[in-house]
Amino acid sequence: MRPEDIHKTAFRTHDGLYEFLVMPFGLCNAPATFQALMNDVLRAHLRRFVLVFFDDILIFSKSWADHLRHLRVVLTLLREHRLFVKRSNSSGTSAPSQLP
């Protein structure tokens, strides 16, 4: 667990607030969960112009105009499912994160 991510694991009990210092057992399937969610959300477009690989959504197109259209389709689907791209993780590709 990276120190900057520890606060993301916080949970409250009757005895106080706690945070995990290592990845909790329940999060070990996070990549598989993400992949399954993306497969469901993007199913109609998979392998046509979008691929999901580990924690990346890859959009590919033959032209700039097609790419802009494909990007709009993917971002619209993500928004409809309350999934949003975290800009700070963007470096050409981005993985969405789900709002609570």
Side-chain angles (χ1 to χ4, degrees):
M1 180 81 61
R2 292 182 299 178
E4 63 269 21
D5 292 332
I6 291 173
H7 73 278
K8 297 175 186 175
T9 68
F11 63 96
R12 184 178 308 276
T13 71
H14 68 282
D15 196 33
L17 185 69
Y18 294 89
E19 298 173 331
F20 286 96
L21 300 179
V22 296
M23 180 184 259
F25 179 75
L27 296 181
C28 67
N29 290 325
T33 301
F34 172 80
Q35 183 80 45
L37 175 61
M38 291 300 99
N39 285 343
D40 287 342
V41 169
L42 301 171
R43 183 169 315 282
H45 308 291
L46 288 175
R47 293 174 299 283
R48 288 183 48 226
F49 60 83
V50 66
L51 296 171
V52 178
F53 186 72
F54 291 113
D55 63 349
D56 290 324
I57 297 173
L58 308 170
I59 302 169
F60 54 93
S61 310
K62 292 184 178 183
S63 70
W64 182 247
D66 283 347
H67 193 68
L68 293 176
R69 191 168 36 82
H70 295 158
L71 184 60
R72 182 172 304 278
V73 167
V74 170
L75 293 176
T76 299
L77 284 168
L78 294 176
R79 180 181 292 149
E80 287 172 0
H81 288 85
R82 295 181 39 88
L83 299 163
F84 300 87
V85 173
K86 185 174 180 182
R87 287 183 189 226
S88 63
N89 288 347
S90 282
S91 62
T93 59
S94 300
S97 57
Q98 189 159 14
L99 292 180

